[in-house]
Amino acid sequence: MEIKVLGTGCKKCKTLEAVTKQAVEELQLDAVVEKVEDIQQIMSYGIMQTPGLVVDGKVVLSGQLPDITLMKGILTQQQSK
């Protein structure tokens, strides 16, 4: 699983990265989490608000900051696809 956290470095973006990494660790997923801060790359995903979350090339979250429970649900759902 390839996970990208999209954000320019604001507090919410950093928090999303931390929550994502925590969820990956707790779920013991075979995943790589990458932080994307380049505005051109972020814009290429077509999101209008950061932070954003991309799993295996698909935008699954934009402009939201989920708690750990919701994040685990998102990742589990994406893993089963």
Side-chain angles (χ1 to χ4, degrees):
M1 183 181 282
E2 183 180 276
I3 303 169
K4 294 183 181 188
V5 177
L6 310 178
T8 57
C10 67
K11 185 177 179 182
K12 285 184 178 182
C13 300
K14 291 176 183 177
T15 302
L16 180 61
E17 180 182 21
V19 169
T20 302
K21 287 181 177 181
Q22 180 183 349
V24 166
E25 184 178 315
E26 289 182 14
L27 292 170
Q28 298 180 342
L29 297 176
D30 181 17
V32 175
V33 178
E34 177 187 351
K35 180 74 166 57
V36 178
E37 294 186 352
D38 179 71
I39 192 70
Q40 296 291 59
Q41 283 185 321
I42 293 169
M43 289 173 57
S44 74
Y45 287 99
I47 66 168
M48 300 306 285
Q49 290 184 314
T50 59
L53 189 70
V54 176
V55 178
D56 293 332
K58 179 183 172 195
V59 176
V60 296
L61 192 72
S62 174
Q64 299 176 22
L65 188 57
D67 62 16
I68 187 68
T69 304
L70 181 56
M71 178 58 74
K72 285 181 177 181
I74 291 169
L75 295 180
T76 301
Q77 183 180 18
Q78 293 303 311
Q79 182 184 27
S80 63
K81 289 187 176 182

